[in-house]
Amino acid sequence: MTKEYLKIFDEQYQEIGIATRDEAHHKGYWHEVFHCWLLSQEGETDYLILQIRSAQKKDYPNLLDITAAGHLLADETIEDGVREVEEELGINVSIKQLTSVGMLHYAIETEKMKDREHAHVFLHSGVFHLEQFSLQEEEVAGLVKVKWGDFCQLWAEELDSIPIIERTIIKPLQKGQLKATVTKEQFVPHPPSFYQDVIKMIAPFVVNKGGM
């Protein structure tokens, strides 16, 4: 497998060099990632579309995640990160169609790795039907749609679980692993502040609160 090289940074987002992806995760180097959240604005309700990570993924298989996301390679710009949307979701999107909502700086540390990321966060809003996506099977097991308002209440500790409004699963074995409702434990284990910050960043662009 070809090694992926990433630009590495200090905590203040000052570039300090280049390392392989494995080195960055092993040694805890800060590095850049691209996040794109899809918000489907339908009638009087806005919905957030979440990715189900493939069971083949090395990290956090089967968990709910950002709609499309990935590492920025050492020779890539922030704008180049839009490729993740096309690769993972199978839709053709240009960076001009996305709204930059800011940067997040966060870390997840486990026995296996120290994942410290500077995330460039984008929003893609419109009307999205799950059948329009062609998912990258080795990365994505499926998509689920939840009400934006429910998602906010979940991470505000106002709800213990939220209903899935719609889903598409490309791996049949996943169906038994995802019930009609989801809890925080079924998301990639970012600290709650990560999801709360994402909500603050996206909230100004939400038209219909969807139950809030």
Side-chain angles (χ1 to χ4, degrees):
M1 182 180 293
T2 303
K3 289 184 178 180
E4 293 183 342
Y5 286 89
L6 314 176
K7 285 180 282 190
I8 57 174
F9 302 81
D10 62 18
E11 192 170 357
Q12 287 70 45
Y13 192 50
Q14 298 298 312
E15 188 173 344
I16 59 174
I18 292 176
T20 67
R21 177 171 174 167
D22 286 345
E23 286 174 334
H25 287 165
H26 178 69
K27 297 181 179 179
Y29 293 133
W30 286 87
H31 52 282
E32 287 182 300
V33 292
F34 179 94
H35 291 178
C36 184
W37 297 85
L38 264 63
L39 189 71
S40 188
Q41 300 176 313
E42 305 173 28
E44 297 181 355
T45 305
D46 285 4
Y47 299 90
L48 196 63
I49 297 176
L50 302 167
Q51 174 188 133
I52 310 169
R53 293 171 66 86
S54 170
Q56 301 174 40
K57 294 286 286 183
K58 178 182 176 182
D59 304 315
Y60 317 119
N62 303 324
L63 294 182
L64 295 172
D65 201 359
I66 302 148
T67 325
H71 290 77
L72 290 175
L73 302 180
D75 60 350
E76 290 186 310
T77 65
I78 297 167
E79 291 75 16
D80 289 331
V82 73
R83 65 173 169 75
E84 295 289 349
V85 182
E86 183 170 0
E87 288 174 5
E88 294 189 355
L89 305 182
I91 58 172
N92 187 17
V93 177
S94 74
I95 195 69
K96 294 180 180 179
Q97 293 173 271
L98 307 184
T99 301
S100 173
V101 297
M103 283 189 71
L104 281 177
H105 314 276
Y106 61 91
I108 303 178
E109 297 196 18
T110 68
E111 293 180 357
K112 295 181 179 180
M113 66 175 179
K114 299 174 183 177
D115 194 11
R116 295 171 178 158
E117 299 185 333
H118 295 302
H120 303 278
V121 185
F122 289 82
L123 177 67
H124 188 26
S125 55
V127 177
F128 302 107
H129 303 288
L130 298 190
E131 61 269 19
Q132 78 187 78
F133 299 104
S134 177
L135 305 181
Q136 185 180 19
E137 188 170 327
E138 61 269 27
E139 297 284 337
V140 186
L143 299 173
V144 300
K145 184 183 287 188
V146 298
K147 288 184 178 181
W148 167 257
D150 289 348
F151 180 79
C152 295
Q153 288 183 295
L154 179 69
W155 292 103
E157 306 287 347
E158 295 171 4
L159 293 173
D160 294 327
S161 63
I162 59 175
I164 292 174
I165 304 303
E166 187 181 351
R167 75 180 78 189
T168 179
I169 308 288
I170 60 173
K171 294 248 179 156
L173 291 177
Q174 290 279 350
K175 291 182 179 179
Q177 298 171 1
L178 195 65
K179 298 180 172 58
T181 61
V182 294
T183 66
K184 292 193 292 291
E185 288 70 32
Q186 289 168 275
F187 285 77
V188 171
H190 297 294
S193 60
F194 169 88
Y195 293 103
Q196 293 160 1
D197 287 343
V198 166
I199 288 167
K200 290 176 185 175
M201 296 164 79
I202 294 177
F205 303 95
V206 174
V207 177
N208 301 292
K209 305 303 181 183
M212 288 186 66

